[in-house]
């Protein structure tokens, strides 16, 4: 298997139903106001927001090309080893006939299900689960080792947002330094991460990208990183059931010692909205720079807000923190 060429994220549009639900989007970056997709303001009777759980691919990290090229590599190997009637035709990662649009659409599924579907199997097929699990393991073993800031880097502005959340800068004028944070708690928001990729991938991406927040010379590099401040990190292989079920969010909430009503979930896929609703999160915020278009996410009634850029996401989060 070869290395992964680097490519920028394209924009993909998936036309959906004829009459999508109407939403009011978060404001543009030049405005300080915010309009949630719901007509209702957040219910302050549930208590303040104390935690935010993030999806990773397409939300925190611009990793589409890593996943796409790794997928084509694994599928090419499967094709070459299992198709006896291909008239001698073999594929490489460059020639395997999987479009970027097909890859992005598949990202709403767990890795084993996505890969099984990519090779033409459907749920209910006798080999669906076994083939998916085998391909999923090969994919995970291959692409996790390729994670770094060039293949799965954070989107611009994400690092600053995570520091602001941890340090409490969106809810007060405090900072990590002014609150005396030396590796302990601050008045900020607890952070969690939940992906439908494997948990090892989640840790790899966060370790590679999370910025420092402390200048304490007595702390080691990992303790200075926002990575160490993620209270809970999970993937599809470390939760009872993956998204769209709410099990992973509930597990994160349990480890964060928070009720779901105190938590916002942020993601880029329909399954993210459905998982947040299933877990009864206070709110779900959808981002439009990932694998799904605005038209697609507008159909998900579980999203309380949709954001076109990180500045809008910061504004949306601050809106909920103000209650």
């Amino acid at each position: 298997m070869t290395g992964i060429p680097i490519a920028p994220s394209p924009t993909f549009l998936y036309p959906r139903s004829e009459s999508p639900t109407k939403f009011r989007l978060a404001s543009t970056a030049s405005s300080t106001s915010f309009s949630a997709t719901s007509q209702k303001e957040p219910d302050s009777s549930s208590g303040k927001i104390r935690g935010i759980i993030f999806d990773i691919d397409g939300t925190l990290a611009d990793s589409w090309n890593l996943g796409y090229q790794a997928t084509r590599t694994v599928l090419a190997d499967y094709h070459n080893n299992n198709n006896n009637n291909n008239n001698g035709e073999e594929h490489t990662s460059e020639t395997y006939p999987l479009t970027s649009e097909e890859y992005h659409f598949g990202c709403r599924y767990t890795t084993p299900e996505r890969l099984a579907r990519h090779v033409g199997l459907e749920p209910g097929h006798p080999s669906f689960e076994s083939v998916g699990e085998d391909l999923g393991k090969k994919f995970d073993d291959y692409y996790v080792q390729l994670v770094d800031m060039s293949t799965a880097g954070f989107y611009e502005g994400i690092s600053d947002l995570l520091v602001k959340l941890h340090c409490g800068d969106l809810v007060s004028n405090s900072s990590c330094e002014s609150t005396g944070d030396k590796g302990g708690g601050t008045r900020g928001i607890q952070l969690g991460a939940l992906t439908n990729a494997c948990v090892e991938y989640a840790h790899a991406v966060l370790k590679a990208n999370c910025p420092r927040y402390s200048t304490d010379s007595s702390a080691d590099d990992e303790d200075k990183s926002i990575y160490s401040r993620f209270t809970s990190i999970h993937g599809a292989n470390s939760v009872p059931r993956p998204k769209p079920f709410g099990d992973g969010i509930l597990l994160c909430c349990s480890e964060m010692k928070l009720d779901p009503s105190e938590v916002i979930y942020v993601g880029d896929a329909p399954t993210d909205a459905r998982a947040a609703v299933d877990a009864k999160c206070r709110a779900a915020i959808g981002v439009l720079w990932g694998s799904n278009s605005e038209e697609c996410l507008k159909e998900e009634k579980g999203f309380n807000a949709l954001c076109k850029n990180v500045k809008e996401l910061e504004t949306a989060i601050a809106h909920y923190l103000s209650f």
Side-chain angles (χ1 to χ4, degrees):
M1 295 183 182
T2 59
I4 300 298
I6 305 302
S9 293
T11 300
F12 295 96
L13 298 178
Y14 297 111
R16 311 300 278 174
S17 68
E18 292 77 11
S19 55
T21 305
K22 292 183 179 179
F23 285 71
R24 290 184 294 152
L25 299 182
S27 65
T28 60
S30 61
S31 172
T32 57
S33 64
F34 169 75
S35 293
T37 59
S38 170
Q39 297 289 337
K40 282 180 60 178
E41 293 291 354
D43 179 9
S44 59
S45 65
S46 299
K48 289 186 176 294
I49 296 296
R50 298 174 57 202
I52 299 180
I53 303 172
F54 290 93
D55 174 50
I56 292 182
D57 289 332
T59 301
L60 296 180
D62 185 4
S63 52
W64 90 270
N65 192 57
L66 169 64
Y68 177 49
Q69 299 297 345
T71 295
R72 294 175 78 190
T73 297
V74 170
L75 295 181
D77 285 349
Y78 175 85
H79 170 87
N80 295 338
N81 292 331
N82 293 278
N83 286 277
N84 297 322
N85 299 319
N86 57 13
N87 299 319
E89 180 186 9
E90 292 197 351
H91 282 294
T92 67
S93 61
E94 289 76 24
T95 64
Y96 190 84
L98 178 75
T99 68
S100 52
E101 289 88 351
E102 291 168 336
Y103 167 77
H104 275 275
F105 186 86
C107 286
R108 63 192 61 195
Y109 304 113
T110 61
T111 300
E113 181 173 354
R114 176 174 67 82
L115 293 170
R117 288 174 179 269
H118 283 328
V119 297
L121 302 179
E122 293 292 336
H125 188 283
S127 300
F128 183 82
E129 290 189 9
S130 60
V131 169
E133 290 297 327
D134 180 61
L135 290 173
K137 183 179 186 308
K138 291 177 179 177
F139 178 85
D140 290 343
D141 290 345
Y142 178 52
Y143 95 134
V144 171
Q145 65 181 334
L146 298 174
V147 169
D148 59 28
M149 293 182 70
S150 66
T151 60
F154 278 173
Y155 290 98
E156 184 176 356
I158 289 295
S159 292
D160 289 343
L161 175 61
L162 294 179
V163 172
K164 288 178 181 179
L165 288 170
H166 170 64
C167 294
D169 289 356
L170 295 188
V171 292
S172 72
N173 293 322
S174 64
S175 69
C176 287
E177 298 302 324
S178 64
T179 54
D181 179 59
K182 303 295 183 183
T186 70
R187 289 180 288 178
I189 300 300
Q190 284 198 65
L191 301 175
L194 174 66
T195 175
N196 262 0
C198 64
V199 67
E200 294 82 4
Y201 173 77
H203 282 279
V205 171
L206 295 174
K207 282 184 179 180
N209 288 281
C210 279
R212 294 185 179 190
Y213 69 93
S214 173
T215 58
D216 179 15
S217 59
S218 66
D220 61 32
D221 286 342
E222 189 165 298
D223 282 340
K224 295 176 185 177
S225 170
I226 287 294
Y227 166 67
S228 67
R229 294 300 172 258
F230 273 80
T231 314
S232 181
I233 302 171
H234 281 288
N237 61 336
S238 66
V239 299
R241 293 181 299 175
K243 298 177 287 186
F245 298 103
D247 301 34
I249 294 177
L250 293 175
L251 180 56
C252 287
C253 288
S254 176
E255 293 178 354
M256 298 165 79
K257 295 181 172 55
L258 298 177
D259 188 89
S261 66
E262 301 173 301
V263 169
I264 296 171
Y265 188 75
V266 181
D268 73 312
T271 48
D272 293 318
R274 296 168 196 171
V277 170
D278 191 40
K280 297 181 172 58
C281 289
R282 174 75 68 82
I285 299 176
V287 302
L288 299 175
W289 52 79
S291 289
N292 294 279
S293 71
E294 181 177 334
E295 288 77 8
C296 174
L297 297 191
K298 276 184 176 181
E299 293 190 354
E300 293 301 322
K301 296 182 179 180
F303 281 127
N304 300 89
L306 298 178
C307 301
K308 295 179 180 178
N309 53 55
V310 176
K311 180 61 178 176
E312 287 190 355
L313 176 59
E314 181 177 319
T315 302
I317 291 172
H319 175 78
Y320 282 97
L321 295 180
S322 67
F323 288 86

